[in-house]
Amino acid sequence: MYLEHLSLTDFRSYAQVDLRFDPGVTVLVGSNGIGKTNLMEAIGYLATLSSHRVSADGPLLRFGTDRALIRAKLVRGEQSTILELEINGGRANRGRINRSNPVRARDLLGICHTVLFAPEDLALVKGDPSNRRRFLDELLVSLVPRHAATRSDYDRVLKQRNALLKSARAGKFTAGHEATLDVWDQHMARAGAELLHARLELVERLRPHLNSAYAQLTDGSKAADAVYRSTLQNMMDDDGEPAGASTAPSEPGQQAEDLRLLSVDDLAERYVQAFAASRRKELERGISLVGPHRDELELVLGQAPAKGYASHGETWSMCLSLRLASYYVMLDDARTGGSAPILILDDVFAELDVQRRRKLAAIVAGAEQVLVTAAVDADIPDELAGRRVKVIPGGIDEQG
């Protein structure tokens, strides 16, 4: 799949811009702050319904406007698809597919596939666990769009359960609330089990690709791995015995493999047990302490966690390897009927040393479509020779 045309209306700094793309490599060159990243952000948003730069939609709207519009024409083989996404300031976002009647925004998920590399990716290693959970969930939804509903259901139940726990902490908890909490425990156990089961399967798919990508980018002297740490395996009951799943592994990967032996029903039952074991502490603190919202994806380099132990160069290599691993997983799906993703490298090469630039460029150069942004041509390795587009204030200047 490749993007043939992109049109933006009132998105970020653009009142209106239209841009044509070709398969292969396209490099967008322009001064920092001129709007290159805004173009890449729009493509990424169309694929994931989220921005890699901000958590809310408000900043995506051009200042003084109340809606933005992203239009894109995607080509896959002999077929083309036109997607339109309306981002609204005060109401739900809406989409259109091939100019049909409006649909929910999330109905567009799974049509446009992207893998976006950006300087913000450093947070995948150096940031808090929420960054790594978001990475997993965005990839999960790209691969299996129905999991957008899985995540939404879990977030809704978590919000309701936390509201009830906060009421208890404020001294408003009654016997009736206890029964209500039991009901929410069941709902959250089911929603959490479905999300956890999907994440665990995804991590197992990512792990070999992560190690392979890290070896491609480095001298291969250290192995890269990812370990899913579930709150189910950290819970203890009042007697100090483990509540729920098995204990922590002795080596990377074992924990995730143990949990993968359980079905969604089994995981839901473990959650119910864990909620019961942690109820007293949750009532005291007024917050849900167990569930996928508190899990961690631990990145391991050699024998040590990457966070806090990896050098700056190793940290960058791990970030790039995570993105490459997601690219390889998408390619696996493309071989069985899915779509190969569009690769977006947003101002990444300026952050890398010459060796990593060349290795990354050599890896991605053969993709069906690669979109690259840079402040100057000198930042782009020779391996990514391709069409150049100059970005100017408020628009673009075609360079061939």
Side-chain angles (χ1 to χ4, degrees):
M1 171 182 285
Y2 68 92
L3 174 67
E4 184 176 87
H5 185 264
L6 176 70
S7 174
L8 304 180
T9 303
D10 291 331
F11 185 90
R12 288 284 195 179
S13 59
Y14 294 102
Q16 179 67 45
V17 66
D18 290 272
L19 183 57
R20 172 184 62 84
F21 293 98
D22 297 318
V25 178
T26 300
V27 179
L28 284 74
V29 181
S31 303
N32 290 329
I34 209 165
K36 305 184 302 296
T37 292
N38 296 345
L39 297 168
M40 301 300 101
E41 182 182 28
I43 301 168
Y45 191 95
L46 193 64
T48 65
L49 301 185
S50 65
S51 163
H52 68 288
R53 303 160 75 191
V54 293
S55 58
D57 287 348
L60 304 181
L61 309 181
R62 191 168 65 90
F63 186 75
T65 65
D66 59 6
R67 73 162 196 161
L69 188 62
I70 304 172
R71 296 185 186 91
K73 182 178 180 181
L74 300 162
V75 178
R76 180 185 176 191
E78 300 298 319
Q79 295 183 331
S80 63
T81 303
I82 296 174
L83 299 183
E84 298 177 68
L85 181 59
E86 183 181 286
I87 305 171
N88 295 301
R91 60 188 188 278
N93 297 340
R94 299 187 304 171
R96 291 177 187 269
I97 303 171
N98 291 327
R99 298 190 171 91
S100 63
N101 292 328
V103 296
R104 297 173 304 176
R106 78 182 191 192
D107 289 336
L108 273 61
L109 290 169
I111 298 175
C112 177
H113 290 160
T114 64
V115 175
L116 194 154
F117 301 75
E120 289 83 358
D121 284 347
L122 279 177
L124 292 175
V125 174
K126 302 177 73 171
D128 62 48
S130 64
N131 294 287
R132 293 175 285 281
R133 291 194 296 266
R134 179 182 175 184
F135 164 78
L136 281 180
D137 290 344
E138 286 187 354
L139 177 56
L140 184 62
V141 170
S142 293
L143 294 168
V144 188
R146 67 178 176 81
H147 282 310
T150 303
R151 176 64 186 275
S152 178
D153 290 345
Y154 182 78
D155 289 343
R156 176 182 56 82
V157 173
L158 175 63
K159 182 178 180 180
Q160 294 289 340
R161 190 173 186 272
N162 278 343
L164 192 59
L165 291 169
K166 287 178 182 177
S167 295
R169 192 180 185 193
K172 302 175 183 178
F173 199 70
T174 67
H177 287 106
E178 187 88 23
T180 303
L181 186 56
D182 287 340
V183 173
W184 283 116
D185 282 359
Q186 294 292 331
H187 288 313
M188 187 159 153
R190 185 68 194 183
E194 291 181 359
L195 182 56
L196 174 60
H197 191 268
R199 282 182 181 176
L200 291 171
E201 287 189 336
L202 178 57
V203 171
E204 288 306 298
R205 294 185 64 187
L206 280 169
R207 289 178 60 215
H209 290 309
L210 175 64
N211 188 45
S212 175
Y214 192 84
Q216 287 179 289
L217 288 169
T218 65
D219 60 8
S221 61
K222 291 184 179 179
D225 204 353
V227 185
Y228 193 91
R229 306 287 187 189
S230 170
T231 48
L232 276 180
Q233 295 175 304
N234 298 325
M235 294 306 303
M236 296 289 176
D237 63 23
D238 291 337
D239 296 323
E241 295 299 322
S246 60
T247 54
S250 58
E251 60 185 29
Q254 184 179 342
Q255 178 168 332
E257 292 165 359
D258 287 345
L259 287 175
R260 273 202 64 198
L261 297 176
L262 302 178
S263 66
V264 172
D265 289 340
D266 292 332
L267 290 171
E269 180 59 32
R270 298 295 179 93
Y271 271 127
V272 170
Q273 296 171 9
F275 294 154
S278 61
R279 176 163 293 189
R280 178 177 56 80
K281 291 182 179 179
E282 289 187 331
L283 290 172
E284 290 174 354
R285 296 182 59 181
I287 193 170
S288 298
L289 299 175
V290 184
H293 66 289
R294 293 178 68 92
D295 290 353
E296 165 70 294
L297 179 68
E298 183 182 18
L299 302 175
V300 181
L301 192 54
Q303 299 300 312
K307 184 176 182 179
Y309 288 88
S311 68
H312 183 70
E314 288 173 335
T315 298
W316 259 115
S317 293
M318 180 64 86
C319 296
L320 296 172
S321 297
L322 272 176
R323 293 299 184 190
L324 286 171
S326 64
Y327 170 58
Y328 293 143
V329 167
M330 288 185 179
L331 286 184
D332 289 342
D333 276 15
R335 297 185 185 101
T336 57
S339 298
I342 301 162
L343 292 187
I344 302 173
L345 289 83
D346 181 30
D347 211 20
V348 169
F349 290 109
E351 305 287 339
L352 305 178
D353 58 41
V354 173
Q355 183 181 27
R356 286 183 176 83
R357 284 185 188 183
R358 299 196 64 179
K359 287 186 175 182
L360 177 60
I363 293 170
V364 305
E368 183 173 4
Q369 187 172 49
V370 186
L371 308 180
V372 186
T373 69
V376 293
D377 278 311
D379 286 342
I380 307 300
D382 293 339
E383 290 84 351
L384 288 179
R387 175 169 166 255
R388 294 295 196 267
V389 175
K390 184 173 179 58
V391 181
I392 60 177
I396 53 106
D397 179 20
E398 293 280 0
Q399 297 295 303

